[in-house]
Amino acid sequence: MKLETFVMERTQSVWENRVEVNLAESGVEPMTLGELVDGANLSDTRLSYPQTNGTEELRDRIADLYPGADADNVVAANGTAEANYVAVTHLVEPGDEVVVMMPNYMQIWGLARSLGARVHKLPLHEEASWGPDLDELRRVVNDKTRLIAVCNPNNPTGAVLSEDAMREIAKIAGSVGAYILADEVYQGAELDGELSPTFYGWYDRLIVTSGLSKAYGLPGLRMGWMVADEGTSAKLWSYKDYTTIAPGALSDRLATIALEPGTRQRILERTRGILNRQLPLIDELVERHEGRLSLVPPKAGAIAFVRYDWEINSTVLMERVREEKSLLIVPGDHFDIDSYIRIGYGYDEAKLADGLARLSDFLGKLD
């Protein structure tokens, strides 16, 4: 297998620590260790290999998030990125067909193509508040469709699927025996405080992936997970033997603390407070450039997918903003859609305001 370049991740890896302001991040301001543990003593944590699919206590905590699941349905991973990687490499063979919701974080798209699959788009439509037209999904699935990949809540738009749409996607997948891979890493980061529904329990050929990097503000733990039926989870665990083998012992312990019900509620309240406090700064930017910028308000996540009306390619715009303003944003090209930029608004509020001022000044000069 020859992996194609993951352009967005490579760009961020090169530049995120070389600019003065980084608005390419897609989560909320990370928590400190002290904020998370709140006095808990970690000195007795033995730094050995933990259970390679995650300790039973951690997997119990994760399973509690998915009605009907238990620890045997869960495999812990080093971030949602590893969870998606393991799930796709388990499912996809050369010659398979894969459908990916678009726009989307391009990991699954690139990985499936690298594995020799034919990949089709399920487009989300801005005029439908970034919802899908499921007739388009019906037209593209066939007996060769192995996998339908969705991201809900969605990256980069912040849209959330309705339960009716989720049921229909499951019905369409069932009509051809395809798997659904549901990346739900932004669940818990809903601005209205209402938890978006999980696909888990609605369909039998299903893998749900998620983790603590986005809604929980704990990206440094590199803790993610996969949830599936017991037979599938056992196979996923065996694939993980070829990647990182086990989560870090401290990450396992700290993730277990984070998912304790009271702590989890406290963390998600913090996240939603940040989002509701800082999204108006994005709205002010859009209003300042009325007629040139537009935004379908995100329902979840710390990301705003802003449309612009200047005759400039989004990657070129990103590069000019980086060079002229020492500011990093994500171009729509990195999601295979031009004339958009993704702005992360969940990190430090003062830096957000500074970055948006730099961006506004740049856009003003485009006029």
Side-chain angles (χ1 to χ4, degrees):
M1 178 178 66
K2 185 176 182 180
L3 287 167
E4 59 183 62
T5 300
F6 194 164
V7 179
M8 185 178 79
E9 286 299 337
R10 178 57 29 213
T11 301
Q12 291 193 43
S13 296
V14 170
W15 292 107
E16 61 188 353
N17 294 310
R18 298 168 66 182
V19 294
E20 293 175 4
V21 183
N22 178 16
L23 297 187
E25 295 288 355
S26 57
V28 296
E29 182 73 13
M31 300 181 73
T32 66
L33 181 60
E35 287 175 315
L36 172 60
V37 300
D38 195 24
N41 182 9
L42 301 175
S43 62
D44 63 344
T45 303
R46 192 170 297 280
L47 300 180
S48 58
Y49 287 107
Q51 174 75 17
T52 60
N53 61 341
T55 59
E56 187 164 1
E57 185 178 9
L58 172 62
R59 289 183 291 117
D60 279 337
R61 290 271 169 88
I62 295 168
D64 286 344
L65 306 178
Y66 302 95
D70 60 31
D72 289 335
N73 297 114
V74 177
V75 180
N78 283 273
T80 310
E82 185 189 35
N84 286 333
Y85 185 93
V86 168
V88 174
T89 52
H90 163 59
L91 291 174
V92 177
E93 300 284 348
D96 285 343
E97 297 198 6
V98 172
V99 181
V100 179
M101 174 188 285
M102 296 286 284
N104 204 329
Y105 183 66
M106 298 295 282
Q107 180 193 17
I108 293 170
W109 173 274
L111 182 56
R113 283 158 48 103
S114 298
L115 288 165
R118 183 183 180 191
V119 183
H120 303 275
K121 297 179 183 179
L122 170 61
L124 301 178
H125 297 281
E126 185 178 23
E127 65 274 15
S129 297
W130 293 114
D133 178 348
L134 295 181
D135 284 336
E136 293 177 309
L137 179 60
R138 294 184 187 92
R139 286 193 291 269
V140 76
V141 300
N142 57 61
D143 290 342
K144 292 184 178 180
T145 303
R146 175 63 169 167
L147 175 64
I148 299 170
V150 301
C151 179
N152 187 53
N154 178 253
N155 176 7
T157 68
V160 176
L161 290 169
S162 69
E163 290 195 10
D164 286 344
M166 293 169 67
R167 290 191 184 93
E168 193 60 26
I169 290 169
K171 182 178 178 181
I172 294 167
S175 71
V176 295
Y179 271 84
I180 293 174
L181 174 55
D183 180 338
E184 297 178 353
V185 71
Y186 285 94
Q187 188 193 52
E190 299 81 8
L191 279 89
D192 65 3
E194 183 175 344
L195 195 69
S196 53
T198 175
F199 269 91
Y200 189 82
W202 289 18
Y203 185 59
D204 55 349
R205 295 170 72 84
L206 171 75
I207 301 172
V208 171
T209 59
S210 192
L212 298 182
S213 295
K214 305 305 180 184
Y216 293 82
L218 297 168
L221 293 188
R222 305 309 305 133
M223 178 54 66
W225 56 80
M226 299 165 275
V227 189
D229 67 84
E230 288 188 23
T232 300
S233 65
K235 292 175 182 176
L236 294 169
W237 184 9
S238 72
Y239 271 64
K240 196 170 174 297
D241 293 341
Y242 282 91
T243 56
T244 59
I245 302 176
L250 273 173
S251 291
D252 189 298
R253 175 82 180 272
L254 290 167
T256 304
I257 291 171
L259 291 172
E260 184 278 326
T263 305
R264 177 173 177 268
Q265 181 178 351
R266 173 172 62 86
I267 291 171
L268 296 184
E269 286 175 354
R270 171 188 181 270
T271 293
R272 290 162 177 158
I274 291 170
L275 300 183
N276 282 287
R277 184 171 63 252
Q278 297 182 188
L279 180 58
L281 297 180
I282 303 290
D283 295 333
E284 290 172 9
L285 173 74
V286 173
E287 291 169 5
R288 194 175 307 130
H289 297 275
E290 186 177 2
R292 290 291 201 173
L293 297 182
S294 60
L295 172 67
V296 176
K299 294 182 179 178
I303 43 181
F305 203 48
V306 179
R307 184 185 183 101
Y308 63 84
D309 191 34
W310 287 276
E311 291 294 328
I312 181 172
N313 169 263
S314 59
T315 293
V316 173
L317 189 153
M318 177 270 291
E319 291 173 345
R320 284 188 56 188
V321 168
R322 188 193 71 229
E323 292 168 358
E324 298 176 27
K325 298 294 182 181
S326 194
L327 168 67
L328 188 62
I329 55 176
V330 183
D333 275 0
H334 287 185
F335 304 98
D336 201 36
I337 181 171
D338 202 9
S339 299
Y340 293 86
I341 52 176
R342 192 192 74 180
I343 303 172
Y345 66 90
Y347 269 45
D348 180 84
E349 189 170 358
K351 286 191 176 181
L352 173 62
D354 181 12
L356 294 179
R358 296 179 190 217
L359 179 58
S360 182
D361 182 67
F362 174 87
L363 295 177
K365 291 176 181 177
L366 287 181
D367 286 327

